[in-house]
Amino acid sequence: MFVSVPTRSRTALRWATPLLAAALWGAFVWAVSRPDASQRALMLEWGALAGGPAGVDPWQPWLDAGHWLRLLSALFLHADWAHLLGNLVFLLIFGLPAERVMGPWRFLALFFLGGGLANLFAVLVIGAPDRLIIGASGAVSALIGAYLALFPQARLGVVVPLGLFLEFVRAPASLLIGVWAALQVVFAYIGPAFGAVAWAAHAAGFAFGIVFAMASRGAIAKRLRRAKGY
């Protein structure tokens, strides 16, 4: 572990992670409360489009600032409850400890930069004009990558089915996240949901999170020394 995480010092209030979770939840509830036609129009207006309309120069839409804004607004749109809840669970599991070490503002920068770049990468990889990219999965993947870089020796609890019983075991976070990352790469090309899930966004967000955390380690260590009072 490259930073010293205080365990006995009084920790500051972690507000960024709960705020993001509430915003994701509120945006979804607001979207599903609209008529079906309005929901579809909302997705098309604020989701990240993989390419421009058919027959149009694919680079032309990027001359419009609104097209870049879609990369961020798409983070707050989700296809269904399962899509949303999956992102919320991972956001809370990995976001709270990451925010404690990084601080709320650096944490928010990681979420939005990682999510936006992940969506951009998915747009460029997919390239089909009729594909819509939505969801905070790329941003959450960036948090997972940062968590791995910040807490490489951490252990996570896992429930393993053994016949008729469920066994709770603790496994290295690096092992579990490594398996998760490998699956993102594999599913990007041969996964069972190929074409329905922007696996490329997951992989890109994860890689960005690792790089972001490693590049910020000096500032993070300085912040923790200030928190300790020396």
Side-chain angles (χ1 to χ4, degrees), residues 182-203:
L183 289 175
Q184 307 312 301
V185 176
V186 172
F187 287 164
Y189 297 98
I190 62 174
F194 178 74
V197 178
W199 299 109
H202 299 189

Side-chain angles (χ1 to χ4, degrees), residues 40-53:
R40 179 60 181 172
L42 181 68
M43 298 290 182
L44 292 175
E45 183 177 359
W46 295 105
L49 290 173

Side-chain angles (χ1 to χ4, degrees), residues 157-181:
V158 181
V159 177
V160 180
L162 297 176
L164 299 177
F165 302 96
L166 297 176
E167 184 71 21
F168 181 83
V169 299
R170 297 185 67 84
S174 57
L175 173 62
L176 298 177
I177 296 176
V179 171
W180 173 88

Side-chain angles (χ1 to χ4, degrees), residues 6-227:
T7 56
R8 296 182 181 275
S9 58
R10 187 176 180 180
T11 59
L13 175 66
R14 283 166 280 179
W15 55 266
T17 303
L19 180 63
L20 283 175
L24 292 174
W25 183 274
F28 179 78
V29 172
W30 175 74
V32 298
S33 66
R34 300 163 65 90
D36 291 342
S38 297
Q39 290 184 41
R40 179 60 181 172
L42 181 68
M43 298 290 182
L44 292 175
E45 183 177 359
W46 295 105
L49 290 173
V56 176
D57 181 357
W59 296 105
Q60 182 177 346
W62 296 104
L63 300 177
D64 180 14
H67 205 71
W68 292 94
L69 181 60
R70 287 168 175 260
L71 299 176
L72 299 180
S73 60
L75 299 175
F76 295 90
L77 300 175
H78 289 82
D80 49 40
W81 287 102
H83 189 197
L84 171 69
L85 291 177
N87 281 333
L88 287 179
V89 168
F90 283 100
L91 171 63
L92 295 174
I93 290 176
F94 295 103
L96 288 171
E99 181 187 352
R100 177 168 62 92
V101 174
M102 302 176 72
W105 298 111
R106 187 173 287 108
F107 173 82
L108 289 174
L110 168 63
F111 182 89
F112 286 108
L113 285 176
L117 289 175
N119 284 343
L120 175 61
F121 184 78
V123 164
L124 297 177
V125 168
I126 296 173
D130 58 345
R131 289 288 305 280
L132 189 64
I133 299 171
I134 58 174
S137 300
V140 171
S141 298
L143 300 182
I144 296 176
Y147 180 93
L148 178 61
L150 292 170
F151 308 103
Q153 299 178 3
R155 302 178 72 85
L156 295 174
V158 181
V159 177
V160 180
L162 297 176
L164 299 177
F165 302 96
L166 297 176
E167 184 71 21
F168 181 83
V169 299
R170 297 185 67 84
S174 57
L175 173 62
L176 298 177
I177 296 176
V179 171
W180 173 88
L183 289 175
Q184 307 312 301
V185 176
V186 172
F187 287 164
Y189 297 98
I190 62 174
F194 178 74
V197 178
W199 299 109
H202 299 189
F206 178 75
F208 176 83
I210 293 178
V211 173
F212 185 93
M214 295 298 291
S216 304
R217 61 183 180 179
I220 293 174
K222 185 181 299 184
R223 175 182 180 275
L224 293 177
R225 286 196 297 270
R226 288 200 304 267

